[in-house]
């Protein structure tokens, strides 16, 4: 597997031109959609959503309630009490009303039941919004049956995977044997289940399984897993652009000059910048020095916006200069509502905004608790957080010092983005705590390198 992946490993340094990107991977059962979609998402550092798991989870809940699929009003009732949660990024776990169903939904009867209840139009309508909400503010690889046709007809890249039924049955058998090593699975039995399910999925009236006219079809019958991943990534590549190409000329000139200056005098090292994808997001960092905003700005691969004290804009020339560098004035006291409104506006325009949630510069260089405003903004704007840690800026220019030192060692380290399922939160207070503690911990972890 690694051979093909190492060749495409640099793909995550490329990002989408505008806003967030949706990759739709559809196809019948057993084509390897899930594994391929997961690997593609990992290579691009995109989020991953297995929509089959959502339908299977509902099937599990319907069965757990003792409802048969033919009982339409029973399924409707089950849907009303269905609370689904996806936890974890790389190997997600699925919870239905608090029960971990990750393994339970993988059994063949669940797939069959999922296929049957998925034929109800009201089920599809209900689950549609969950899928669309998940995509808010992030780049996602979705896999399913109707992603390219119904859920995201405007998806940036659409792939339709196929394979001969026998090959799909053999792959499914291998998957199941891996997941349930103490059970024996017959290829013939799986083959007949697959053929039956293909029929159901393709012939149902509501959003049947079919290739979107603009989807690229890949027949995986004679391809290895590596080859499929590589082919899919090759289809995505033309839709990506290098992140550094999007700066305006003024911003770009200052960006490279200041970056060169920091490299020369402070040996500026930038780590993890490939985690920063295009689109709206909050860059959240520790704050201990006047150097933090410029170091963070020139370390970020794309243009960033930040708030600066209103008094800095009093000098007309300097004010003009920092405005051109995306600084936005903020008054010091009693202006919280306006500050939040300004930040939300910038995010809604698809910008990246730098935030130092400690509020004030640290006196001793140690990370202080984060203020609640961070959680408020994330919950309102529904954007990812990019944690960052600035190392060495405090030693070069600590608080209380009039001028910076001429020499020093400065590092800006970015971590993987944090996504919070704001739209699914039932307990806002708990989510607020989670946002604050997880983000603080992510920044803290970066301190250790
Ligand atoms: O991808 P899977 O085998 O986990 O999906 C199980 C069933 O769920 C599938 O047979 C039909 C249904 N499904 C659907 O109708 N639409 C989707 N987007 C995903 C799954």
């Amino acid at each position: 597997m690694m051979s093909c992946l190492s060749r495409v490993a640099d793909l995550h340094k490329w990002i989408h031109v505008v806003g967030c990107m949706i990759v739709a991977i559809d196809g019948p059962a057993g084509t390897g959609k899930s594994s391929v979609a997961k690997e593609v998402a990992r290579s691009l550092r995109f989020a991953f959503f297995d929509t089959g798991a959502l339908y299977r989870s509902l099937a599990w809940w319907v069965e757990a309630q003792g409802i048969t699929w033919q009982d339409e009003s029973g399924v409707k009732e089950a849907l009303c009490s269905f609370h689904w949660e996806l936890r974890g990024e790389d190997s997600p776990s699925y919870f239905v009303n608090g029960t971990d169903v990750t393994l339970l939904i993988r059994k063949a009867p669940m797939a069959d039941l999922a296929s049957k209840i998925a034929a109800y139009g009201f089920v599809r309508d209900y689950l549609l919004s969950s899928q669309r909400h998940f995509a808010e503010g992030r780049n996602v690889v979705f896999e399913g049956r109707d992603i390219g046709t119904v859920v995201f007809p405007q998806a940036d890249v659409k792939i339709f995977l196929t394979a001969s039924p026998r090959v799909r049955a053999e792959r499914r058998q291998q998957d199941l044997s891996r997941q349930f090593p103490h059970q024996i699975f017959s290829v013939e039995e799986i083959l007949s289940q697959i053929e039956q399910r293909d029929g159901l999925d393709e012939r149902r009236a509501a959003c049947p399984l079919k290739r979107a006219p603009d989807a690229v079809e890949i027949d995986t019958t004679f391809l290895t897993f590596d080859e499929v991943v590589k082919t899919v990534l090759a289809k995505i590549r033309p839709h990506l652009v290098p992140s550094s190409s999007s700066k305006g000329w003024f911003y770009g000139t200052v960006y490279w000059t200041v970056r060169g200056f920091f490299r020369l005098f402070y040996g500026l090292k930038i780590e993890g910048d490939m985690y920063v994808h295009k689109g709206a997001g909050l860059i959240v960092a520790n704050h201990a020095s006047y150097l933090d905003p410029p170091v963070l700005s020139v370390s970020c691969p794309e243009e960033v916006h930040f708030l600066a004290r209103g008094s800095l804009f009093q000098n007309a020339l300097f004010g003009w200069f920092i405005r051109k560098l995306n600084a936005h004035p903020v008054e010091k006291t009693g202006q919280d509502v306006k500050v939040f409104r300004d930040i939300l506006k910038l995010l809604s325009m698809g910008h990246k905004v730098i935030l130092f949630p400690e509020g004030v510069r640290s006196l001793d260089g140690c990370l202080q608790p984060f203020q609640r405003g961070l959680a408020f903004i994330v919950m309102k704007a529904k954007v990812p957080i990019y944690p960052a840690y600035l190392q060495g800026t405090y030693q070069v220019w600590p608080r209380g010092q009039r001028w910076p030192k001429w020499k020093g060692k400065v590092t800006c380290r970015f971590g993987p983005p944090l996504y919070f399922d704001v739209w699914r939160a039932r307990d806002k207070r708990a989510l607020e705590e989670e946002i604050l503690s997880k983000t603080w911990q992510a920044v803290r972890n970066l301190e250790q390198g």
Side-chain angles (χ1 to χ4, degrees):
M1 171 158 38
M2 290 317 292
S3 54
C4 121
L5 301 181
S6 56
R7 279 196 300 278
V8 297
D10 63 328
L11 255 184
H12 61 257
K13 290 183 187 149
W14 296 68
I15 52 150
H16 187 227
V17 193
V18 275
C20 292
M21 181 167 180
I22 303 292
V23 175
I25 302 185
D26 288 306
T31 43
K33 278 185 305 232
S34 284
S35 325
V36 168
K38 211 184 266 185
E39 189 50 44
V40 167
R42 200 195 61 79
S43 305
L44 297 168
R45 301 240 162 53
F46 280 21
F48 160 68
F49 195 116
D50 169 3
T51 60
L54 180 60
Y55 284 92
R56 284 170 182 254
S57 300
L58 177 63
W60 178 85
W61 180 239
V62 166
E63 197 188 62
Q65 302 300 294
I67 296 164
T68 61
W69 70 268
Q70 295 95 334
D71 175 3
E72 198 173 322
S73 58
V75 174
K76 270 186 191 155
E77 250 171 59
L79 200 52
C80 293
S81 55
F82 175 64
H83 295 293
W84 189 71
E85 224 184 306
L86 185 161
R87 295 187 197 160
E89 292 278 318
D90 293 339
S91 319
S93 300
Y94 306 103
F95 289 78
V96 176
N97 296 1
T99 304
D100 185 348
V101 297
T102 316
L103 264 189
L104 301 172
I105 59 171
R106 290 299 151 203
K107 304 201 168 161
M110 280 306 129
D112 184 48
L113 186 55
S115 181
K116 285 178 171 132
I117 59 169
Y120 286 124
F122 62 86
V123 166
R124 307 205 71 84
D125 288 347
Y126 189 87
L127 300 185
L128 185 70
S129 59
S130 309
Q131 297 166 67
R132 288 190 180 153
H133 274 306
F134 184 85
E136 279 176 12
R138 50 178 134 189
N139 300 308
V140 191
V141 179
F142 277 87
E143 68 102 338
R145 301 288 191 288
D146 59 344
I147 308 298
T149 49
V150 178
V151 185
F152 295 106
Q154 81 293 8
D156 303 84
V157 181
K158 297 181 189 178
I159 307 285
F160 194 81
L161 295 184
T162 61
S164 76
R166 177 156 291 276
V167 165
R168 291 194 276 137
E170 284 166 6
R171 288 180 188 160
R172 247 301 123 95
Q173 192 243 15
Q174 284 164 11
D175 272 357
L176 286 168
S177 305
R178 251 196 310 272
Q179 279 171 343
F180 304 98
H182 304 301
Q183 292 178 37
I184 294 173
F185 298 95
S186 132
V187 174
E188 295 309 321
E189 214 174 291
I190 296 174
L191 179 60
S192 101
Q193 285 162 356
I194 278 188
E195 283 174 338
Q196 210 181 339
R197 198 139 64 91
D198 281 358
L200 276 174
D201 292 346
E202 284 164 12
R203 284 195 295 272
R204 67 176 174 228
C207 321
L209 163 68
K210 68 168 186 240
R211 181 169 86 83
D214 50 344
V216 179
E217 184 164 334
I218 304 172
D219 183 346
T220 69
T221 307
F222 302 109
L223 297 179
T224 63
F225 174 76
D226 277 11
E227 286 166 336
V228 181
V229 172
K230 196 178 156 203
T231 313
V232 173
L233 287 170
K235 302 289 175 204
I236 298 172
R237 187 185 270 276
H239 298 261
L240 307 166
V241 293
S243 52
S244 53
S245 70
S246 54
K247 294 175 197 63
W249 72 267
F250 184 84
Y251 190 101
T253 308
V254 177
Y255 175 95
W256 290 112
T257 310
V258 175
R259 190 161 149 145
F261 174 87
F262 284 145
R263 271 204 200 287
L264 191 65
F265 287 94
Y266 304 126
L268 173 64
K269 252 187 15 195
I270 300 166
E271 295 172 6
D273 52 337
M274 73 278 190
Y275 288 125
V276 185
H277 287 297
K278 184 92 178 169
L282 278 177
I283 299 181
V284 169
N286 59 314
H287 192 18
S289 162
Y290 278 138
L291 281 182
D292 294 335
V295 168
L296 190 51
S297 301
V298 299
S299 301
C300 188
E302 65 173 304
E303 277 199 28
V304 291
H305 291 249
F306 58 97
L307 302 175
R309 221 183 312 142
S311 56
L312 291 174
F313 295 80
Q314 274 164 9
N315 177 307
L317 188 63
F318 188 69
W320 172 85
F321 181 74
I322 57 175
R323 248 182 237 280
K324 294 284 279 182
L325 297 175
N326 300 336
H328 302 268
V330 48
E331 297 316 322
K332 229 181 162 186
T333 49
Q335 293 285 319
D336 285 3
V337 176
K338 187 181 175 314
V339 174
F340 287 139
R341 212 182 308 127
D342 288 351
I343 294 176
L344 291 174
K345 192 163 157 210
L346 289 167
L347 293 170
S348 73
M349 291 160 75
H351 294 308
K352 288 257 162 26
V353 180
I354 287 180
L355 207 69
F356 296 110
E358 290 163 276
V360 288
R361 276 170 298 144
S362 161
L363 277 172
D364 55 3
C366 295
L367 191 63
Q368 310 164 88
F370 286 175
Q371 297 191 357
R372 310 206 85 78
L374 167 68
F376 173 80
I377 295 167
V378 172
M379 286 159 74
K380 276 261 177 243
K382 303 184 179 76
V383 292
I385 292 181
Y386 296 90
Y389 189 81
L390 295 152
Q391 200 161 48
T393 50
Y394 177 77
Q395 283 72 19
V396 170
W397 198 354
R399 206 173 149 169
Q401 203 97 21
R402 204 170 154 76
W403 299 106
K405 295 178 188 148
W406 279 109
K407 283 271 162 221
K409 278 224 143 315
V410 167
T411 300
C412 177
R413 195 172 292 129
F414 294 95
L418 303 171
Y419 299 107
F420 295 96
D421 286 330
V422 173
W423 52 273
R424 248 195 262 130
R426 274 171 288 150
D427 184 346
K428 293 258 183 290
R429 192 91 198 154
L431 178 68
E432 194 180 305
E433 290 304 328
E434 187 190 339
I435 292 171
L436 291 175
S437 64
K438 282 204 173 146
T439 311
W440 190 90
Q441 198 54 54
V443 174
R444 184 72 212 273
N445 291 346
L446 291 169
E447 183 178 1
Q448 272 111 43

